[in-house]
């Protein structure tokens, strides 16, 4: 179909929580329904929790496109133009953090190191993909190995012999 104003650019990547999480929300609702039905006065309010979790799953995302990065968390949305982005840091736990040119950090919801190829593709080369760089290096190495002549481990038959002094003779 022809592009229109309500369609996303083909290079735009939306990184979001898997929709399979709604299954967990349904299971949570079923788990909370039993106490809520047994004692409604005390536990009926807990039935709201699965809907809050589902709303969080729908809301939280990171959108990477030609204009920059949009980080949408639970209660805020931060737009980061490419000119303001200094780099991306991946902490041991949690989601990635965008480091800005003023050295402040903005969390990028749902972005993990495994999503780096998506980020690299959508950034148009502004973010490098270490997986692609490693693949390119392997391919270049394989191409160089095919172009170079095969080295034979056997010797040509000539050998420089080194004579060792006898134990009986002295060297001065």
């Amino acid at each position: 179909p022809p592009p229109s104003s309500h369609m996303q650019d083909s290079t735009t990547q939306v990184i979001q929580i898997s929709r399979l999480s709604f299954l967990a929300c349904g299971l949570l609702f079923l788990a909370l329904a039993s106490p809520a039905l047994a004692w409604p006065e005390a536990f009926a309010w807990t039935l709201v929790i699965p809907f809050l979790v589902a709303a969080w799953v729908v809301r939280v995302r990171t959108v990477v496109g030609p204009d920059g990065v949009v980080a949408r968390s639970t209660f805020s949305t931060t737009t980061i133009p490419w000119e303001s982005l200094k780099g991306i840091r991946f902490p041991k736990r949690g989601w990635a953090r965008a480091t800005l040119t003023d050295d402040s950090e903005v969390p990028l919801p749902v972005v993990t190191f495994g999503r780096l190829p998506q980020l690299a593709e959508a950034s148009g080369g502004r973010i490098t993909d270490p997986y692609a760089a490693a693949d390119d290096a392997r391919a270049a190495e394989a191409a160089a190995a095919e172009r170079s002549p095969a080295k034979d481990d056997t010797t040509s038959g000539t050998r420089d012999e080194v004579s060792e002094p006898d134990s009986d003779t002295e060297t001065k």
Side-chain angles (χ1 to χ4, degrees), residues 136-160:
D136 291 345
R138 273 191 228 103
E141 194 175 283
E146 288 177 8
R147 280 182 281 172
S148 68
K151 293 184 179 178
D152 193 4
D153 287 340
T154 60
T155 58
S156 62
T158 60
R159 208 175 108 174
D160 291 338

Side-chain angles (χ1 to χ4, degrees), residues 64 69 82 85 88 116 119-121 123-129:
V64 183
V69 180
W82 288 117
L85 185 65
I88 296 178
L116 208 45
L119 284 175
E121 179 185 344
S123 72
R126 293 178 187 96
I127 298 172
T128 56
D129 180 7

Side-chain angles (χ1 to χ4, degrees), residues 61-73 76-89 96-109 111 119 122-123 126-127:
R61 67 184 61 198
T62 297
V63 180
V64 183
D67 298 330
V69 180
V70 178
R72 220 166 83 174
S73 62
S76 66
T77 300
T78 306
T79 302
I80 306 166
W82 288 117
E83 298 79 35
S84 301
L85 185 65
K86 184 178 176 182
I88 296 178
R89 184 174 69 86
R97 298 188 160 279
T99 305
L100 306 180
T101 53
D102 63 357
D103 289 331
S104 62
E105 288 189 341
V106 176
L108 299 177
V111 176
L119 284 175
S123 72
R126 293 178 187 96
I127 298 172

Side-chain angles (χ1 to χ4, degrees), residues 9-170:
D9 187 9
S10 61
T11 60
T12 300
Q13 293 281 334
V14 179
I15 302 170
Q16 60 190 4
I17 297 173
S18 170
R19 297 301 179 212
L20 193 59
S21 300
F22 290 126
L23 179 63
C25 293
L27 293 174
L28 180 61
F29 181 79
L30 291 175
L32 294 173
S34 179
L37 291 173
W39 192 8
E41 296 84 18
F43 295 110
W45 66 271
T46 62
L47 293 177
V48 174
I49 294 172
F51 295 102
L52 294 175
V53 172
W56 178 78
V57 168
V58 169
R59 168 116 178 111
V60 174
R61 67 184 61 198
T62 297
V63 180
V64 183
D67 298 330
V69 180
V70 178
R72 220 166 83 174
S73 62
T74 308
F75 298 112
S76 66
T77 300
T78 306
T79 302
I80 306 166
W82 288 117
E83 298 79 35
S84 301
L85 185 65
K86 184 178 176 182
I88 296 178
R89 184 174 69 86
F90 294 92
K92 286 185 181 182
R93 293 188 181 98
W95 293 327
R97 298 188 160 279
T99 305
L100 306 180
T101 53
D102 63 357
D103 289 331
S104 62
E105 288 189 341
V106 176
L108 299 177
V110 195
V111 176
T112 59
F113 192 77
R115 300 285 185 115
L116 208 45
Q118 280 182 285
L119 284 175
E121 179 185 344
S123 72
R126 293 178 187 96
I127 298 172
T128 56
D129 180 7
Y131 296 117
D135 290 343
D136 291 345
R138 273 191 228 103
E141 194 175 283
E146 288 177 8
R147 280 182 281 172
S148 68
K151 293 184 179 178
D152 193 4
D153 287 340
T154 60
T155 58
S156 62
T158 60
R159 208 175 108 174
D160 291 338
E161 292 191 25
V162 178
S163 61
E164 294 184 26
D166 292 285
S167 60
D168 295 340
T169 58
E170 277 186 28

